[in-house]
Amino acid sequence: MSTDTPRIAEHGVATLVGQRVFALALGYEDLVDHDTLRHDPVLAAVAGKLGAGRADCAPLAGKSTLNRLEHAPGAAPTRYHRIGHDGAAIERLLVDLFLDAYAMPPEEIVLDLDATDDPLHGSQEGRFFHGYYGCYCYLPLYVFCGDHLLAAKLRRSSIDASAGAVEEVERIVRQIRARWPQVRIVLRADSGFARDELMGWCEANKIDYVLGLARNPRLVGEITAELAWAAAEAEQTREPARQFKDFRYQTLDSWSCARRVVGKAEQLVGGSGETSPNPRFVVTSLSPDEWAPKPLYERLYCARGEMENRIKECQLDLFADRTSARTMRANQLRLWFASMAYVLLEALRRIGLRTTRLAQATAGTIRLRLLKIGALVRISVRRVTVAMASGHPWQQDWATAHRALTSAG
């Protein structure tokens, strides 16, 4: 971030950004909340502003100042909007924080890609109606590695789900390999990303992939015998049955070469006993010697569902879908603020809570159990004292997190 701040300015950019991100982590998604929060001594202490400002001014900024921060202009700041931001630097920071989380480079990492809907209820720049989601929305692209958020790219919804994926993956992979040149990278995503451009780029850059593949009559025809076996098994046992088949497949005109496809021939059994087929397919660059069909689908590909839980944390717990500003640039910045709030709470979970009952808790649960609690705050000349209730049911986890974060530096 950069600013042409006059000497009379009370709040620096670092304080403004910290105030906004901390408030999102604490559950305050609206800027109007800050007209009250600006007087909060604990938030001011966390932001490094308690006692550091003028006596006639609240420690933190109000909604109007933060509004100017979020509506950062482009390359030419205006008279009233002197704060700008470097989007490329923010994107690099997310990947750098992921890399810094490892003391030693891992042998292999899996990058998960997914797109989701961000519903719009106004006349924001770039709004389009999306037929699948049935609303006007943005279509942000997320990239995760486990619980680590590597990218959150705001996009118009009038595009294919995979649009821009090659550029995002290329940028992230380049940054990762600059630090970890020997790491093996596997790309994982649903059928919306099974595009020849993305698979071809992965093959040319020694990136493995396992992607969902939308079914069609040709694919279903490849597993006819397996579907028949699953149907007979389900009829006999009255339990779901599945079988897998490994085969080579190439589309009629959209793929440049034949690729390995794993088909799941599954027969489901309903509550009343009726059976129904559920064929599924994935396309992959991984060899059969390394990943047999069944574990490839069940252990590797299906694990991508955990990424959807991380997206829900960003969207629901940390308000990444509050994109009500007029311009896409301002809404992208809002998405990044929410992303940094996620990174903050993920670090708390990974470092401070890994030995506690909250080791697998969502951001919303962590906030409810550890952060949104009553306390008595006393402010003296030399210190701020926070006294919490001795009967707090999560006090041991709070103390454990404090010790772990303190020892981590």
Side-chain angles (χ1 to χ4, degrees), residues 215 219-234 239-247 262-268 276-282 293-294 297-298:
R215 64 172 175 256
L219 286 170
V220 174
E222 288 281 354
I223 59 172
T224 301
E226 288 74 18
L227 283 170
W229 176 91
E233 184 74 9
E239 295 288 340
R242 60 171 57 175
Q243 195 173 62
F244 293 88
K245 182 180 179 181
D246 202 326
F247 58 94
V262 169
K264 180 190 71 169
E266 184 176 46
Q267 198 76 16
L268 302 177
S276 59
N278 181 40
R280 302 282 177 166
F281 303 91
V282 296
K294 181 180 174 68
Y297 186 89
E298 294 181 342

Side-chain angles (χ1 to χ4, degrees), residues 278-295:
N278 181 40
R280 302 282 177 166
F281 303 91
V282 296
V283 56
T284 183
S285 63
L286 297 167
S287 69
D289 294 337
E290 185 177 10
W291 282 95
K294 181 180 174 68

Side-chain angles (χ1 to χ4, degrees), residues 248-302:
R248 303 288 293 179
Y249 174 80
Q250 182 175 3
T251 62
L252 296 178
D253 53 14
S254 59
W255 287 9
S256 57
C257 63
R259 295 181 170 101
R260 181 192 178 197
V261 170
V262 169
K264 180 190 71 169
E266 184 176 46
Q267 198 76 16
L268 302 177
V269 179
S272 59
E274 74 279 2
T275 62
S276 59
N278 181 40
R280 302 282 177 166
F281 303 91
V282 296
V283 56
T284 183
S285 63
L286 297 167
S287 69
D289 294 337
E290 185 177 10
W291 282 95
K294 181 180 174 68
L296 174 78
Y297 186 89
E298 294 181 342
R299 286 171 41 204
L300 181 59
Y301 177 71
C302 288

